[in-house]
Amino acid sequence: MQIARNPALADIRVEDDRTGLSIETLKRAFLDNLFYIQGKFPRLASKNDYYMALAYTVRDRLLQRWLSTAATYTENASRTVAYLSAEFLMGPQLGNNLINLGIYDAVKQAVEELGLDLDELLEQEDEPGLGNGGLGRLAACFLDSLATLEIPAIGYGIRYEFGIFSQGIRDGWQVEITDKWLSRGNPWELARPEWAVEVKLGGHTETYTDEHGQRRVRWVPYEVVKGVPYDTPLLGYRTNNCNTLRLWSAEAPESFDFEAFNSGDYLGAVYDKVTSENLSKVLYPNDNLSQGKRLRLAQQIFFVSCSLQDMLRILQQQQVPITDFAKKFTIQLNDTHPSIAIAELMRLLVDERGLPWDLAWQITQNSFAYTNHTLLPEALECWDLAMFEQMLPRHLQIIYEINHHFLEAVRAKFPNDNDRVARMSLIDENNGRRVRMAHLACVGSHAINGVAALHTELLKQDVLRDFYEMYPEKFQNKTNGVTPRRFVLLSNPRLSKLITGKIGDNWVRHLDDLRQLESYVEDASFREEWWKTKHTIKEELAAYIKQHNGITVDPYSIFDIQAKRFHEYKRQHLNAMHIVTLYNRIKRNPNIDITPRTFIFGGKAAPGYFIAKLIIKLINSIAEVVNNDPDVRDRLKVVFLENYSVKFAQRVYPAADLSEQISTAGKEASGTGNMKFALNGALTIGTLDGANVEIREEVGAENFFLFGLTAQDVYALRASGYDPSHYYHNDWELKEVIDRIASGDFSRGDRNLFQPLLESLLNWDTYLLLADYRFYVDCQERVSQAYRNREHWTRMSILNSARMGKFSSDRSVRDYCRDIWKVQPVKVSLDKQLF
Ligand code: 26Q
């Protein structure tokens, strides 16, 4: 940005209606925005109008910081993190911006003085659900930490018109409803049509000789799509650094099919427009599954090419030579979804900027780093080669050339090892020819990381073993983290107040400071306050459940919560089997002494994932029976919370006593919900999987309910020939659970309904539920006993919160900055003369 000083504007007041933070100024600004932006006066305004007026009031205050940030970063030509992600699961913006600006209480009072309730206005916001789950939410937490740590950063992604579907529950089944999150307008974004770029698709390539006698390749595309950036400002916590989330929306290029237009085929031309816009139409709702669909590949190249062209524009605008690309930008690939960027940057540098291959490759490798988020083979992206070639003919040639150089290096390091060469090739020749995106990401990046210590070890030993042997120096661990701003301060104001009252508010930026709470563990009155706070929050969730589910739950019972995407490896059905176990015990002896529990589930299943949807139906079916059986006497309740989202998550984490983190060991890369629960004082029942391992190390084994097979046990059991029916026949209580589900007791006598699930468990049990069942149920019994001792439970709860400092995304991001990105903070001051 060129900043010209205009003396005529020099004496504009800074503390004005659009920037001032006093209650009076906020009120005036709010009414102005209601009038001039929403076009309403108070008597006719709806709650949504008030929300919008408030959002614009807050946005004005962000924009001042945003412009100062842009000016500062430009002046310093700061090294910038470009975080490339197909998903950003941001959650609602208003509350978080109030917190980070430090005006939450002032705004609450200002709207109250106008006769409004801030909580009701916050409720109005439709959250941008532009992600599936953990991976998208991690990207959002990282952006919050980057701004808070004053690191120049841009998040690049797709502005999906429809985010993750809204989930309804009808007759116990999940139904999907399209997510029209933009229907009432999005006050947080600014369209930047002046920075639109074009992306080519399809067609063929030609070689030619340029004016220097150099042989070059030209790509003649079949079609061109325009990408328009929409920017959302992201302010750090109590900093002036306001970074950018830049999301691309697909449009038809201006000159779309002009011939058809002139020849009178107006509708034909408009039809083409519709297909280009399809590129950013909808988020694929699969989590941890790659289906290899053409439109998905088109989405990936679309946002990646737009983002790289945008970086080249910034480079040019700041007059940085192209050869310094990797000095200006460090690009993080959030899984393989954006990994086509490696071939695209090579194309831009070699074909469009005329750089020699070797120099371009050096720049590319220096620019990229790759984060892997999965150990599941079905989640590793591979593209059918014919389809890939049809859409990206030039990229395929580039990948062949990268592969050629790479396989030569493999042969040099491991002579006479053809099997290894075939295993490592960027092209899989065995399963119908396919392009292996994880291999491209590994070869084209200077750093490769897993997201928890165990995950990184398993990558090195198993999924990426050959690459580890080839490039051991590239591999690093970066354990995930979550932002304490959204997931404690904003979502749990009661606990935050209690904590701040004891240790001050430094913990919000330095989460390790929570350790100071340890010294209050033996303080009985503090424990009492802690317990009461938790209890009040449970009462609030109970009221919500009453209102939305019509179920009465007992806030004195254990709130046992499993909230996450539905997937067999996450084993929600193991949790369901525990519920049926307790139900059977009650049916056998209605007077049995049982610790009351409320089982709460939340989460979506991918629309095409039949078994996951059947697990949702099973839970709802069990709920119907258990909640209404007089023998149960309200000691057990089962609740399914519809349409789990970030907004919802913020309600749920604070109210949990027990956090279910029960994936098959070796399957969950990290988990981040596990962190959000424990940070809010829930105890974990969990396997040694993902970050559970490290959480347990931090909080202490005595404050964590561990059960089940280890990743090594899982490998060994599979290798020795696992027979699930053995467990069925040798554990009568397990048999009784399966038999009751099979009997139709939970399906109004229908014995077929759950057969697909039960058959899969008895015949394959890919995720070893039957092997872990006894460990799990016995561990749950220890939980029930522990909960009966309120003092002891509260101690453990406090210690969980107090020792979770490591899992701040600030720590994660600092680690990336130090070991991978090599970036430094850049302070932004508000005194900057902007005009
Ligand atoms: C790929 C191809 C085509 C369509 C969809 C996809 C796709 C989309 C989303 C594949 C995977 C995802 C999401 C994966 C994910 O959320 N992984 C989670 O990442 C978290 C953050 O690191 C970890 O904590 C979780 O353990 C991991 O499951």
Side-chain angles (χ1 to χ4, degrees), residues 10-272:
D11 62 341
I12 267 193
R13 273 193 313 131
V14 176
E15 172 69 34
D16 67 6
D17 221 24
R18 306 195 89 162
T19 55
L21 301 180
S22 72
I23 290 172
E24 280 315 306
T25 312
L26 288 167
K27 276 159 67 181
R28 201 173 61 225
F30 174 79
L31 291 173
D32 269 4
N33 283 332
L34 185 67
F35 200 90
Y36 291 110
I37 294 189
Q38 283 311 100
K40 292 278 178 75
F41 48 84
R43 200 155 42 81
L44 283 188
S46 65
K47 268 196 196 127
N48 187 58
D49 291 322
Y50 284 124
Y51 158 73
M52 293 294 265
L54 183 56
Y56 281 110
T57 304
V58 173
R59 192 181 86 175
D60 284 340
R61 280 136 189 93
L62 293 181
L63 288 186
Q64 179 199 22
R65 288 159 177 80
W66 200 18
L67 292 172
S68 303
T69 302
T72 308
Y73 290 174
T74 304
E75 264 170 34
N76 296 13
S78 316
R79 180 168 166 82
T80 301
V81 177
Y83 198 86
L84 260 58
S85 179
E87 308 190 4
F88 286 94
L89 194 48
M90 300 300 290
Q93 294 297 292
L94 177 56
N96 203 247
N97 283 326
L98 293 176
I99 293 265
N100 286 10
L101 269 168
I103 58 171
Y104 195 98
D105 293 333
V107 163
K108 192 174 172 63
Q109 191 182 332
V111 299
E112 256 164 35
E113 288 178 16
L114 295 168
L116 299 165
D117 176 39
L118 180 58
D119 288 337
E120 275 185 29
L121 299 189
L122 291 170
E123 260 316 296
Q124 288 299 309
E125 183 167 352
D126 284 320
E127 78 173 71
L130 307 187
N132 276 287
L135 167 143
R137 184 55 234 177
L138 185 77
C141 284
F142 280 8
L143 293 181
D144 182 72
S145 287
L146 281 160
T148 299
L149 296 171
E150 310 184 306
I151 304 292
I154 310 180
Y156 281 113
I158 302 175
R159 182 178 177 270
Y160 300 105
E161 189 179 331
F162 300 115
I164 188 69
F165 61 86
S166 292
Q167 178 194 54
I169 301 293
R170 304 276 176 275
D171 187 29
W173 294 95
Q174 166 175 298
V175 293
E176 298 93 23
I177 303 143
T178 49
D179 165 51
K180 299 195 177 142
W181 72 286
L182 289 165
S183 66
R184 293 192 291 179
N186 173 8
W188 303 106
E189 69 184 9
L190 280 88
R192 302 293 201 185
E194 68 276 25
W195 294 330
V197 294
E198 291 191 340
V199 178
K200 300 177 205 169
L201 292 171
H204 63 275
T205 62
E206 295 169 353
T207 51
Y208 68 101
T209 307
D210 71 9
E211 61 272 29
H212 306 104
Q214 205 62 44
R215 187 186 155 273
R216 311 242 319 239
V217 180
R218 179 189 303 131
W219 177 12
V220 184
Y222 169 77
E223 63 181 323
V224 171
V225 180
K226 186 167 84 167
V228 181
Y230 286 72
D231 287 354
T232 301
L234 303 171
L235 182 67
Y237 177 74
R238 310 283 157 95
T239 69
N240 294 316
N241 294 59
C242 191
N243 287 336
T244 301
L245 173 62
R246 180 159 289 168
L247 301 180
W248 299 95
S249 179
E251 288 187 9
E254 258 79 68
S255 53
F256 70 88
D257 211 351
F258 225 72
E259 244 166 67
F261 192 77
N262 286 336
S263 70
D265 186 9
Y266 178 75
L267 289 178
V270 173
Y271 179 74
D272 277 352

Side-chain angles (χ1 to χ4, degrees), residues 418-672:
N418 282 330
D419 288 351
R420 182 184 295 266
V421 171
R423 286 198 309 271
M424 295 186 78
S425 171
L426 303 190
I427 310 297
D428 177 0
E429 309 276 354
N430 293 327
N431 304 294
R433 302 188 74 203
R434 299 188 309 164
V435 186
R436 293 164 161 160
M437 299 311 274
H439 295 202
L440 176 62
C442 287
V443 175
S445 300
H446 62 277
I448 302 166
N449 77 281
V451 289
L454 174 67
H455 171 228
T456 302
E457 284 313 305
L458 294 174
L459 284 180
K460 294 198 284 195
Q461 289 165 24
D462 189 16
V463 184
L464 299 176
R465 178 184 192 138
D466 291 324
F467 288 87
Y468 179 58
E469 287 170 1
M470 180 79 193
Y471 312 114
E473 70 288 351
K474 287 193 187 184
F475 282 74
Q476 304 192 19
N477 176 246
K478 292 287 166 284
T479 298
N480 284 167
V482 302
T483 171
R485 270 73 66 184
R486 182 178 291 272
F487 290 107
V488 188
L489 193 56
L490 174 65
S491 63
N492 201 344
R494 293 180 192 282
L495 197 70
S496 299
K497 197 162 162 243
L498 176 60
I499 294 171
T500 298
K502 283 290 171 204
I503 66 171
D505 67 357
N506 245 341
W507 59 272
V508 179
R509 284 162 163 290
H510 302 282
L511 202 60
D512 287 321
D513 283 9
L514 288 179
R515 284 259 174 198
Q516 295 167 24
L517 290 174
E518 281 192 34
S519 53
Y520 298 95
V521 162
E522 292 311 323
D523 173 342
S525 74
F526 181 71
R527 282 202 306 273
E528 176 72 10
E529 272 187 274
W530 187 274
W531 186 90
K532 274 192 178 151
T533 303
K534 200 89 207 176
H535 189 76
T536 308
I537 299 164
K538 289 168 71 179
E539 286 174 335
E540 287 165 350
L541 186 61
Y544 180 93
I545 290 171
K546 180 80 202 170
Q547 194 188 338
H548 289 80
N549 297 57
I551 301 172
T552 307
V553 304
D554 172 10
Y556 287 93
S557 66
I558 305 176
F559 276 26
D560 174 342
I561 309 190
Q562 190 169 18
K564 52 180 78 242
R565 285 296 291 254
F566 272 80
H567 204 296
E568 286 163 281
Y569 85 81
K570 296 177 188 279
R571 302 199 293 191
Q572 281 94 348
H573 45 335
L574 181 58
N575 188 343
M577 286 165 69
H578 173 235
I579 303 175
V580 176
T581 303
L582 296 182
Y583 180 64
N584 284 343
R585 288 180 188 170
I586 289 178
K587 292 309 276 182
R588 237 178 292 120
N589 170 16
N591 292 320
I592 190 173
D593 182 19
I594 227 168
T595 311
R597 282 210 201 210
T598 303
F599 296 91
I600 299 172
F601 292 86
K604 296 174 184 177
Y609 191 170
F610 170 69
I611 291 285
K613 290 175 130 177
L614 191 58
I615 295 171
I616 292 181
K617 172 67 178 169
L618 173 65
I619 289 165
N620 285 313
S621 304
I622 294 171
E624 194 179 289
V625 171
V626 168
N627 295 347
N628 298 306
D629 186 328
D631 283 348
V632 174
R633 283 190 261 126
D634 293 335
R635 287 170 293 175
L636 304 179
K637 283 284 162 70
V638 183
V639 177
F640 191 98
L641 297 173
E642 200 175 68
N643 200 29
Y644 188 67
S645 58
V646 176
K647 199 179 197 171
F648 218 154
Q650 291 175 206
R651 252 181 211 287
V652 166
Y653 296 122
D657 294 308
L658 188 66
S659 155
E660 298 272 351
Q661 307 300 337
I662 60 177
S663 52
T664 316
K667 298 293 177 193
E668 189 71 272
S670 161
T672 44

Side-chain angles (χ1 to χ4, degrees), residues 87 132-136 138 284 286-291 296 300 337 373 379 381 451 480 569-570 668-672:
E87 308 190 4
N132 276 287
L135 167 143
L138 185 77
Y284 274 84
N286 300 325
D287 156 293
N288 281 303
L289 174 74
S290 167
Q291 279 183 314
R296 170 80 181 183
Q300 297 183 352
H337 316 155
H373 295 265
E381 288 189 296
V451 289
N480 284 167
Y569 85 81
K570 296 177 188 279
E668 189 71 272
S670 161
T672 44

Side-chain angles (χ1 to χ4, degrees), residues 695-732:
I695 292 175
R696 179 166 169 270
E697 268 168 23
E698 292 292 307
V699 304
E702 66 286 8
N703 301 306
F704 187 106
F705 295 98
L706 177 71
F707 76 95
L709 303 175
T710 64
Q712 277 185 333
D713 297 338
V714 168
Y715 287 119
L717 185 55
R718 285 250 159 261
S720 70
Y722 173 57
D723 174 18
S725 69
H726 168 85
Y727 295 85
Y728 172 80
H729 291 298
N730 289 283
D731 186 331
W732 64 268

